[in-house]
Amino acid sequence: VQLVESGGGSVQAGGSLTLSCVGTGYTFSSACLGWFRQVPGKEREGVATIDGVSTSRYVDSVKGRFTISKDNAKNTLYLQMNSLKAEDTGMYYCALKRWWLCGPTLAPDGYAWGQGTQVTVSS
């Protein structure tokens, strides 16, 4: 599996960004997909996941601001991020698990990873 993220950048607080992740080697319609983020010195944190039947789950801190979606025909995953805050700053990783269910948590276990794209939000 190969995952390639794009769309990161620098933005002012309150702004928006959309991250994209294109995958090869596994069909997105049959996978659990997710976005995770990490800042130096901290563990990787689950931001949002979406499973094979498009059921999504979010960490509490982004509910109502971020939207995860996918285009199975394009094997592409998205993360629309609105009302960005300084605490959203971090390296964002696209992830894929070779099973259509994501499970009840946002733990970063059992995933294949992209290389990451940096998001920086200035206050």
Side-chain angles (χ1 to χ4, degrees):
V1 174
Q2 286 195 325
L3 303 169
V4 179
E5 304 97 332
S6 62
S10 297
V11 65
Q12 296 265 355
S16 298
L17 283 173
T18 300
L19 306 183
S20 300
C21 171
V22 178
T24 57
Y26 198 87
T27 302
F28 275 21
S29 61
S30 302
C32 163
L33 302 165
W35 289 100
F36 294 76
R37 65 188 177 192
Q38 191 169 22
V39 296
K42 291 191 175 182
E43 292 186 354
R44 193 164 295 188
E45 172 191 41
V47 175
T49 59
I50 185 167
D51 67 18
V53 292
S54 295
T55 299
S56 56
R57 179 177 284 113
Y58 298 89
V59 67
D60 285 347
S61 61
V62 308
K63 286 180 180 177
R65 300 188 297 121
F66 290 12
T67 303
I68 189 170
S69 63
K70 61 177 179 170
D71 185 331
N72 289 332
K74 296 181 179 179
N75 240 38
T76 301
L77 178 70
Y78 303 99
L79 185 68
Q80 174 67 45
M81 305 186 293
N82 298 326
S83 303
L84 282 160
K85 304 176 181 180
E87 50 264 43
D88 295 319
T89 294
M91 185 69 77
Y92 281 70
Y93 296 91
C94 173
L96 179 148
K97 190 181 292 188
R98 293 177 179 84
W99 184 240
W100 67 280
L101 286 175
C102 292
T105 74
L106 293 170
D109 301 320
Y111 287 90
W113 301 96
Q115 83 289 349
T117 186
Q118 178 68 35
V119 172
T120 303
V121 184
S122 56
S123 57

